[in-house]
Amino acid sequence: MLRFFCATFAIITIPAIAAPKKAQDNPDKMLIQKVQQQVVGSLKDPESAKFQNIYVKWGTVCGEVNARNSYGGYVGFQPFYSIDGDVLRMKGNAHFESGWEKYCSSNAKKPEPPKPYHEAIYDTPEPPENR
């Protein structure tokens, strides 16, 4: 009886321990899913979307999407990127190329955090009234 109990316990608990993590456990996967929904929402035929080469680099999701156009033909994989899941840029948008180079290319450097307001305006670490 003890063997049966131990075997049953092992059969029930081992798959639970070894179960793969859900997307909710990985912030990058959650961000990718959010961006994929944005991309799909911007397409003429959302059901036809196919993604490839998707990765996250310093909070920016970069990848490629292929979808059908108005005539029903696939247009080929087009690059896109989304900064922090908010700003979506696809090839053909204004400033796409410079943004792709800045955020997604192999030469991309980690973006510097924004300066505090007074540093951006006065180029000093303290506001003028505190000097």
Side-chain angles (χ1 to χ4, degrees):
M1 185 70 180
L2 182 61
R3 285 186 192 173
F4 175 76
F5 177 73
C6 290
T8 305
F9 180 76
I11 289 171
I12 293 172
T13 57
I14 289 176
I17 294 171
K21 292 185 176 182
K22 297 178 183 174
Q24 303 152 336
D25 299 336
N26 186 336
D28 285 351
K29 286 192 178 194
M30 288 175 50
L31 186 59
I32 288 172
Q33 287 176 347
K34 178 181 176 182
V35 170
Q36 283 179 323
Q37 289 173 353
Q38 288 177 340
V39 171
V40 164
S42 70
L43 300 172
K44 292 188 185 240
D45 184 0
E47 291 84 33
S48 69
K50 296 179 182 178
F51 293 92
Q52 73 177 17
N53 300 329
I54 298 178
Y55 57 94
V56 178
K57 191 173 193 177
W58 304 306
T60 300
V61 177
C62 307
E64 298 174 327
V65 63
N66 191 6
R68 290 189 174 124
N69 60 15
S70 304
Y71 299 107
Y74 279 93
V75 296
F77 282 95
Q78 301 294 315
F80 68 87
Y81 68 93
S82 179
I83 303 165
D84 293 327
D86 292 329
V87 179
L88 176 64
R89 296 269 189 234
M90 298 181 75
K91 190 167 186 170
N93 291 118
H95 310 295
F96 174 82
E97 296 297 331
S98 61
W100 182 265
E101 278 297 312
K102 183 176 181 180
Y103 298 108
C104 298
S105 75
S106 58
N107 300 332
K109 297 177 183 168
K110 185 174 182 178
E112 293 184 27
K115 293 181 179 181
Y117 176 75
H118 60 273
E119 282 188 41
I121 300 298
Y122 302 108
D123 202 26
T124 63
E126 300 178 349
E129 61 271 3
N130 292 345
R131 287 192 256 163

